[in-house]
Amino acid sequence: MFSTIINAASHIYCIILLKNFPIFRKVLTLHFVLNEKIVGMNRNILKSILAIALAVSMQSAFAADRNPAFRQARNYYEKGMYARARTMFSEIADEDPVAGGFAVVCAESMRIPGYETEMERFLSLYPYSGLTTEILYRHALNLFDDGNYYGAAGTFAGISVRDLNRADLAEYTFKNAYSRFKTGDYDEALKGFMKVTRMNVNDYKAPAAYSAGYILYGREDFNGAIQLFTESAKDPRFADESAFYILECRFMNKDYKYVMENGEALYARIPEERRPHLARIISETYLVSGNTAKAKEDYDRTNISSGNDRKDYFYAGSLLYAV
């Protein structure tokens, strides 16, 4: 009985779809292969496979025969005119689920309050939509921009990377990694940052290298950190900050010559709030090298005299004793 129903349905399916949409030849080929090869398969599994194929194919049907209103709305969408596009997509959403999906994307792009309800409704109705990845990605970016890193990390995790627009891969990988970093998942964050550094030229290579370098710096892998900070220093946005950490890593590796050769020039460039710490590094370098007069000079540029902690008191006492 079940096979009879399947065969009859498949014949009707062929006549209607092949007549209007050649795109279904691949779907139907798969259907007949399944019908021949999976005798004995659990019928519920077969029903699920056919349901998915039908859902996907129906969306493809709409895509193959768009009306002028959809094409105009898509044109507005691609130009970033989301308000106009959303209005037109919404008008034809009842007859075209893909238009409804684009209306959701427009709402996300404009940050319309309450768009989440519309998004959840669409995804529940069309879980296999080709726009699912784009919808989730836009939502994750909004959460990220809002500083909701736990929410962003969770949403990024549900995105199928293979379905992501190739042009968005670097941004996705970096922001997913940064969300992991902000939520304390440093191992996954480091993996993500390193992936971005190995990608072709993109806007996220420098911040990824800097962030990965910072993680290694915190783990006292100073040589690895230096390599990454050297890469991020090539970008003007991160040049001075990267140079600061390179110098501190060199100091921790007891490369005092590097500190003496580069410390003063860097001191003049870095933000005011970092200068006391750098002055401390320079001062300690000269003290270790035996130049107590220069060590005292740089010591006077620190705020150690205010007594930040016991290490500061100890260093101040050591310097005064040496002088």
Side-chain angles (χ1 to χ4, degrees), residues 191-316:
K191 289 178 185 178
F193 290 139
M194 294 304 295
K195 281 184 182 179
V196 178
T197 64
R198 293 190 291 268
M199 292 179 181
N200 294 330
V201 177
N202 63 77
D203 292 337
Y204 297 93
K205 283 181 76 74
Y210 178 84
S211 300
Y214 186 82
I215 292 175
L216 294 185
Y217 162 82
R219 294 177 174 180
E220 298 187 2
D221 179 359
F222 299 119
N223 290 328
I226 288 171
Q227 292 180 0
L228 289 161
F229 286 131
T230 300
E231 288 301 310
S232 61
K234 297 175 183 177
D235 188 312
R237 296 173 296 172
F238 298 91
D240 290 342
E241 285 291 313
S242 298
F244 173 85
Y245 281 111
I246 290 171
L247 186 137
E248 182 160 8
C249 290
R250 294 274 194 169
F251 172 76
M252 298 302 293
N253 282 342
K254 303 187 186 310
D255 187 353
Y256 301 125
K257 180 181 178 182
Y258 181 91
V259 176
M260 288 187 284
E261 290 177 349
N262 295 276
E264 293 299 330
L266 180 60
Y267 183 89
R269 301 199 312 267
I270 62 173
E272 186 70 30
E273 62 271 15
R274 286 203 179 274
R275 289 182 177 180
H277 184 67
L278 179 56
R280 161 74 175 265
I281 291 174
I282 297 171
S283 177
E284 289 194 35
T285 297
Y286 279 107
L287 181 63
V288 171
S289 302
N291 189 340
T292 55
K294 186 69 172 67
K296 176 64 168 61
E297 178 184 328
D298 287 294
Y299 165 78
D300 290 339
R301 295 190 294 182
T302 72
N303 59 0
I304 292 176
S305 58
S306 63
N308 292 325
D309 57 35
R310 292 179 64 186
K311 290 182 179 179
D312 291 335
Y313 281 125
F314 178 80
Y315 175 67

Side-chain angles (χ1 to χ4, degrees), residues 6-281:
I6 291 295
N7 288 331
S10 66
H11 292 156
I12 298 172
Y13 194 46
C14 286
I15 294 170
I16 296 174
L17 297 181
L18 282 177
K19 179 179 179 181
N20 296 289
F21 306 108
I23 191 172
F24 293 119
R25 287 170 186 161
K26 292 183 179 180
V27 175
L28 293 175
T29 299
L30 173 62
H31 164 70
F32 289 124
V33 168
L34 290 172
N35 207 27
E36 292 291 331
K37 300 294 184 183
I38 59 177
V39 176
M41 174 183 279
N42 183 290
R43 292 180 179 181
N44 289 329
I45 296 176
L46 180 55
K47 289 178 182 178
S48 298
I49 293 173
L50 293 177
I52 292 171
L54 180 60
V56 173
S57 62
M58 288 308 293
Q59 284 201 347
S60 299
F62 284 119
D65 190 30
R66 297 293 183 210
N67 61 41
F70 180 93
R71 291 194 293 271
Q72 182 61 61
R74 184 66 184 267
N75 184 48
Y76 286 138
Y77 170 81
E78 291 176 351
K79 292 179 179 178
M81 303 170 68
Y82 298 120
R84 288 188 180 183
R86 174 174 163 76
T87 298
M88 296 188 71
F89 281 133
S90 298
E91 290 173 352
I92 58 176
D94 289 341
E95 63 188 57
D96 188 341
V98 177
F102 274 110
V104 173
V105 176
C106 290
E108 292 177 307
S109 300
M110 293 188 294
R111 306 292 300 268
I112 293 177
Y115 76 78
E116 294 88 350
T117 300
E118 186 176 344
M119 175 190 74
E120 291 170 2
R121 178 177 178 277
F122 179 85
L123 293 177
S124 67
L125 289 174
Y126 308 105
Y128 306 109
S129 169
L131 286 170
T132 296
T133 295
E134 182 68 15
I135 289 171
L136 290 175
Y137 181 53
R138 294 294 183 104
H139 181 51
L141 293 181
N142 287 342
L143 293 172
F144 182 91
D145 291 342
D146 290 341
N148 182 355
Y149 299 113
Y150 283 98
T155 306
F156 280 131
I159 292 174
S160 173
V161 179
R162 68 178 179 223
D163 295 330
L164 197 65
N165 189 318
R166 191 178 184 85
D168 295 326
L169 186 58
E171 181 182 30
Y172 162 82
T173 307
F174 175 80
K175 291 186 175 181
N176 183 27
Y178 191 84
S179 297
R180 300 282 187 171
F181 174 78
K182 295 293 287 185
T183 55
D185 190 352
Y186 301 119
D187 289 338
E188 287 302 312
L190 183 59
K191 289 178 185 178
F193 290 139
M194 294 304 295
K195 281 184 182 179
V196 178
T197 64
R198 293 190 291 268
M199 292 179 181
N200 294 330
V201 177
N202 63 77
D203 292 337
Y204 297 93
K205 283 181 76 74
Y210 178 84
S211 300
Y214 186 82
I215 292 175
L216 294 185
Y217 162 82
R219 294 177 174 180
E220 298 187 2
D221 179 359
F222 299 119
N223 290 328
I226 288 171
Q227 292 180 0
L228 289 161
F229 286 131
T230 300
E231 288 301 310
S232 61
K234 297 175 183 177
D235 188 312
R237 296 173 296 172
F238 298 91
D240 290 342
E241 285 291 313
S242 298
F244 173 85
Y245 281 111
I246 290 171
L247 186 137
E248 182 160 8
C249 290
R250 294 274 194 169
F251 172 76
M252 298 302 293
N253 282 342
K254 303 187 186 310
D255 187 353
Y256 301 125
K257 180 181 178 182
Y258 181 91
V259 176
M260 288 187 284
E261 290 177 349
N262 295 276
E264 293 299 330
L266 180 60
Y267 183 89
R269 301 199 312 267
I270 62 173
E272 186 70 30
E273 62 271 15
R274 286 203 179 274
R275 289 182 177 180
H277 184 67
L278 179 56
R280 161 74 175 265
I281 291 174

